[in-house]
Amino acid sequence: MLRSVLLNLCVTAALAGFMPLSGCQEDPVPPAAATPPPTSPPAVSDEATETMERLRRHPAMQEAFQTVLDIEPRTLADHITLTEIPAPPFGEGPRAEVFAGMLAASGADSVWIDPVGNVIARIDGRERARTIAFGAHLDTVFPAGTDVRVRMQGDTLYAPGIGDDTRGLAVLLAMMRTVEARQLAFEDDVLLIGTVGEEGLGDLRGVRHLFGPEGLAIHEFIAIDGGRLGNVINQALGSNRYRVTVEGQGGHSWGAFGNANPQHALASIVHFFVEKADPFTANGPKTSYNIGRVEGGTSVNAIPEKAWMEVDMRSVNPDRLAGIDVLLQQSIEEGLTHQNSLKRRGEALTVNVESIGKRPSGETSADHPLVQRALAGARSLGGDANLSISSTDANIPISLGIPAITIGRGGEGGNAHALNEWWINREGHLGIQWALLLMASQAHLVTD
């Protein structure tokens, strides 16, 4: 049944010009589910359960839920349209302009693009004492020039960025269209935000601005960037990232032999670092380290003048992240000193350590009302709610003590950050309904 409904949606989208009709094909072997089932369901309070059940049964929410179903063809069309607008790191502008236009046409009270490129739509509350924000990121990991056209086989959509996080943007639009269609009102202001710079070297620059000195007064933040219905990320996975560059004289591998070698210095740094980091990460809160990229040199028979590597370290615990960072800095000094002690001629090596990413860690307590209502809302819709750890836009507000979580986009997807990323609209409407429930609970739906 679901397969035939989605095939009809595909044909509708094709006839409207959103995708080639040839992409609407049956796929006899759907991909496996991306998210494993939770192992230990978290406790949910009676208060949260009763609050979300009462909201779910309210006539206004039941009407809104029906609207979500009614506009599914439009939501799919939005999803495809936005996916096919490239949004490489630091190149989100074209997608931002289109997304802003969509939000404005959907009935937002005001829409603007801030100085760093975030798209912000506001739904004015009646009292306006607090502001609740929902966000999804505009950017993808894929460089400019990547083919981002959507291909549909059966009920599966394939394209770079189709799930992470273009589906989140489609959820925000569906929320806005539903609020407008049902004329839902809230006591508090609601912001729907498309953020820039969530991925990679973007280093959360969009959400940093939102919560920085020139940003907005946001009291709670819900990112829509997780997986399936019920996935609540309340622990922010922190990370420190560096580019370590060693420079020297270089020269011919035979004629200049004896000059200090930047590549050899990097090898020494890695050796010393692994010796320290391995026992450090063997116990305690999970902490990881990775040398992700190493580059330098011009020829097999030339001593490099420059070599560099990029290092990623992560932990959910701020003290552990700081601890492994100290080990890296010590290893850099030891490795450089060791290689300089071996030089027989020429100048000493120099090193430059550049921070290329710093994401803070932290946690919104599992018993916080925002977390509890997110869990209860998912369960009221039939989801197996669970708590998890990840690095998302919510890292920044969590680190500042502002209640924040990341919730799932709904549907099923996989192969994030790969060219063959996929997403299936398998009860994807439940993800939108879940977000609407949280909007109703946290921004206080007007029910009189």
Side-chain angles (χ1 to χ4, degrees), residues 328-383:
L328 174 66
Q329 306 307 322
Q330 292 174 348
S331 301
I332 292 170
E333 184 177 348
E334 290 176 17
L336 192 73
T337 299
H338 175 68
Q339 285 301 315
N340 278 331
S341 72
L342 299 180
K343 75 179 181 68
R344 303 176 185 177
R345 51 180 288 177
E347 299 175 1
L349 299 171
T350 60
V351 66
N352 179 59
V353 183
E354 175 190 4
S355 174
I356 57 173
K358 195 173 185 67
R359 298 186 177 207
S361 57
E363 179 178 358
T364 300
S365 173
D367 59 9
H368 190 280
L370 174 61
V371 178
Q372 286 287 297
R373 290 174 185 175
L375 294 169
R379 287 184 179 176
S380 75
L381 294 168

Side-chain angles (χ1 to χ4, degrees), residues 85-95 138-146 197 205:
I85 302 171
F90 302 95
E92 304 96 333
R95 180 179 284 189
L138 292 157
D139 58 319
T140 72
V141 300
F142 304 98
T146 301
R205 63 190 176 91

Side-chain angles (χ1 to χ4, degrees), residues 115-447:
V116 301
N118 296 313
V119 177
I120 306 170
R122 186 171 63 226
I123 302 168
D124 293 339
R126 289 193 179 179
E127 298 296 330
R128 311 197 67 180
R130 300 172 74 251
T131 298
I132 311 301
F134 290 79
H137 62 87
L138 292 157
D139 58 319
T140 72
V141 300
F142 304 98
T146 301
D147 184 352
V148 292
R149 289 175 295 180
V150 176
R151 176 172 57 91
M152 193 169 194
Q153 291 184 315
D155 55 8
T156 308
L157 280 70
Y158 293 91
I162 190 72
D164 185 13
D165 187 28
T166 318
R167 171 62 184 177
L169 299 175
V171 170
L172 294 181
L173 278 170
M175 293 168 69
M176 186 65 252
R177 295 189 196 283
T178 300
V179 168
E180 176 67 10
R182 293 299 179 183
Q183 289 297 290
L184 299 179
F186 306 92
E187 296 292 348
D188 301 321
D189 279 358
V190 176
L191 299 179
L192 303 176
I193 306 173
T195 63
V196 296
E198 194 275 344
E199 298 285 9
L201 297 182
D203 200 31
L204 307 181
R205 63 190 176 91
V207 77
R208 286 182 195 276
H209 179 81
L210 290 174
F211 290 93
E214 305 299 321
L216 304 170
I218 296 172
H219 297 86
E220 292 186 354
F221 183 81
I222 298 99
I224 302 174
D225 191 19
R228 60 178 179 80
L229 174 71
N231 183 36
V232 178
I233 299 167
N234 70 316
Q235 296 182 72
L237 179 60
S239 63
N240 289 357
R241 295 169 176 171
Y242 293 98
R243 179 178 291 116
V244 180
T245 304
V246 181
E247 296 186 73
Q249 277 186 274
H252 194 281
S253 63
W254 174 261
F257 180 69
N259 281 355
N261 189 312
Q263 290 281 30
H264 295 180
L266 284 186
S268 292
I269 291 169
V270 173
H271 170 73
F272 289 127
F273 181 49
V274 172
E275 276 196 334
K276 294 177 176 65
D278 182 65
F280 181 84
T281 57
N283 300 291
K286 183 177 178 180
T287 304
S288 68
Y289 61 93
N290 180 62
I291 312 298
R293 301 177 67 200
V294 179
E295 194 168 306
T298 56
S299 171
V300 69
N301 61 341
I303 300 169
E305 293 183 1
K306 178 189 294 187
W308 57 264
M309 68 178 184
E310 291 180 348
V311 187
D312 172 89
M313 299 169 291
R314 301 182 181 221
S315 181
V316 71
N317 182 286
D319 292 336
R320 298 286 290 176
L321 185 58
I324 196 168
D325 195 298
V326 168
L327 299 183
L328 174 66
Q329 306 307 322
Q330 292 174 348
S331 301
I332 292 170
E333 184 177 348
E334 290 176 17
L336 192 73
T337 299
H338 175 68
Q339 285 301 315
N340 278 331
S341 72
L342 299 180
K343 75 179 181 68
R344 303 176 185 177
R345 51 180 288 177
E347 299 175 1
L349 299 171
T350 60
V351 66
N352 179 59
V353 183
E354 175 190 4
S355 174
I356 57 173
K358 195 173 185 67
R359 298 186 177 207
S361 57
E363 179 178 358
T364 300
S365 173
D367 59 9
H368 190 280
L370 174 61
V371 178
Q372 286 287 297
R373 290 174 185 175
L375 294 169
R379 287 184 179 176
S380 75
L381 294 168
D384 290 326
N386 69 293
L387 298 175
S388 60
I389 305 168
S390 191
S391 178
T392 70
D393 272 339
N395 280 43
I396 298 300
I398 287 175
S399 72
L400 296 172
I402 297 169
I405 56 173
T406 298
I407 64 173
R409 318 173 191 100
E412 294 185 14
N415 293 348
H417 295 193
L419 294 175
N420 62 340
E421 185 176 356
W422 58 269
W423 185 79
I424 300 176
N425 192 17
R426 189 165 288 152
E427 297 190 322
H429 65 279
L430 293 176
I432 303 169
Q433 293 172 349
W434 185 24
L436 284 168
L437 264 181
L438 269 177
M439 180 186 285
S441 69
Q442 302 311 107
H444 302 105
L445 177 70
V446 175
T447 58

